[in-house]
Amino acid sequence: MKFYDTHNHLQDGRFAGRQGELLAECKKSGIARMVVNGTGESDWPQVAALARENKIVLPSFGYHPWYLRECTPDWLANLKRFLDSIPGAVGEIGLDRWKPDLPYAGQEEALLAQLRIAAERNLPVSIHCLQAWGRLHELLREHPRPARGFVLHSFGGPAELIPALAKLGAYFSFPGYFLHERKTRQRESFKLVPPDRLLVETDAPDQLLPADRILHPLASLDGQPLNHPANLVVVYFGLAEILGETTESLARRVEDNFIRLFGAVA
Ligand SMILES: [Zn+2]
């Protein structure tokens, strides 16, 4: 079986230079590819370097809404420069009305500017959305999108929106965090995702799995628990249980979906 991580942040500083070790463990676990998402100009160089050094890494460049205040005046030109320098995707971009004290002003403009670049180049996009689903749907409907589609990473939006978003080209990515008991609504909504639009992710080092499911424990230098990217396999096990199918058949489907969306840049 081959496993595909649609969304992680292998470049994250909390991994403290242990990326080589983590990747070795991922390969041993059967992970064939991972999309490593940059979050802003400060980490795009590390994402590009990881991709140059490791075939398993598919780089993705974008400004995450949490870091928009760090944008330099040349950020869009810089983004294009990274996308020109290595085959990759666009992300993580998005809308966030959940994070306390995060200004919403400017988020839509940044999302649309990056979405436009992805549409022009027909690159896959990874979108983050918290508490802004109605607005995201409107913006996606009214603006150019990449013809190949886009990922709604850690999809936790209203189940009623799934058909409309799928019609626009959405893929829905399931994180291990939804295996926590209380995430019933999110788990149920994944039963409604069209089979050809389903993807799986770790979002490592974030979105820890329930403690009893973790196969690869990991901590930061200061002792904070981190999500190891090799835990992806357990996320597949958990999602297969929810959907009532074997991990093998789920893995085959997710492989097809991943390659359909990300294939041309691989
Ligand atoms: Zn992320």
Side-chain angles (χ1 to χ4, degrees):
M1 262 188 289
K2 285 187 193 167
F3 303 98
Y4 294 82
D5 192 349
T6 297
H7 189 104
N8 76 27
H9 299 281
L10 189 67
Q11 81 284 7
D12 195 288
R14 285 170 287 169
F15 287 136
R18 291 159 72 185
Q19 279 82 356
E21 183 193 315
L22 302 180
L23 283 171
E25 202 60 44
C26 287
K27 284 177 202 160
K28 236 194 281 170
S29 308
I31 298 173
R33 250 153 165 234
M34 57 174 69
V35 184
V36 174
N37 281 258
T39 60
E41 285 160 288
S42 62
D43 66 6
W44 295 343
Q46 286 130 269
V47 171
L50 282 167
R52 284 202 186 87
E53 290 154 17
N54 303 282
K55 274 188 131 151
I56 188 174
V57 170
L58 197 158
S60 190
F61 304 100
Y63 246 107
H64 190 292
W66 292 4
Y67 305 106
L68 286 173
R69 63 189 105 193
E70 295 167 16
C71 280
T72 69
D74 299 324
W75 74 274
L76 270 176
N78 282 335
L79 175 59
K80 290 180 190 166
R81 200 163 50 78
F82 274 93
L83 291 169
D84 288 340
S85 71
I86 187 166
V90 174
E92 176 171 1
I93 67 175
L95 298 179
D96 195 316
R97 277 178 168 148
W98 164 81
K99 194 177 170 64
D101 304 323
L102 184 74
Y104 186 74
Q107 289 191 30
E108 293 188 2
E109 291 78 1
L111 168 81
L112 292 174
Q114 298 179 93
L115 193 62
R116 176 182 302 276
I117 293 172
E120 284 166 2
R121 300 174 178 223
N122 196 19
L123 297 175
V125 185
S126 194
I127 299 178
H128 161 114
C129 185
L130 288 173
Q131 294 185 3
W133 287 103
R135 188 62 185 142
L136 179 69
H137 175 231
E138 272 172 25
L139 291 174
L140 288 169
R141 203 177 48 203
E142 293 160 5
H143 291 85
R145 303 174 300 277
R148 63 188 314 124
F150 55 89
V151 182
L152 300 172
H153 117 77
S154 294
F155 176 76
E160 309 84 75
L161 267 184
I162 291 173
L165 288 165
K167 216 173 123 195
L168 299 178
Y171 286 73
F172 302 80
S173 177
F174 183 87
Y177 193 69
F178 290 173
L179 297 173
H180 286 275
E181 198 57 48
R182 64 183 184 281
K183 294 283 170 188
T184 315
R185 178 185 68 79
Q186 287 84 347
R187 279 195 301 277
E188 286 302 307
S189 74
F190 267 84
K191 295 181 182 168
L192 305 172
V193 168
D196 62 345
R197 297 301 181 85
L198 193 62
L199 292 166
V200 182
E201 67 176 67
T202 60
D203 204 16
D206 294 313
Q207 303 220 43
L208 276 168
L209 286 88
D212 59 340
R213 294 209 186 229
I214 294 173
L215 263 190
H216 300 272
L218 186 69
S220 63
L221 295 176
D222 60 355
Q224 298 303 310
L226 299 177
N227 190 9
H228 191 307
N231 285 319
L232 177 68
V233 178
V234 194
V235 187
Y236 271 75
F237 295 159
L239 181 59
E241 272 169 39
I242 293 164
L243 299 178
E245 67 177 301
T246 64
T247 308
E248 287 79 4
S249 85
L250 174 67
R252 270 194 302 274
R253 225 141 45 77
V254 171
E255 176 170 48
D256 288 348
N257 296 346
F258 185 95
I259 291 173
R260 192 181 321 111
L261 182 59
F262 289 102
V265 295

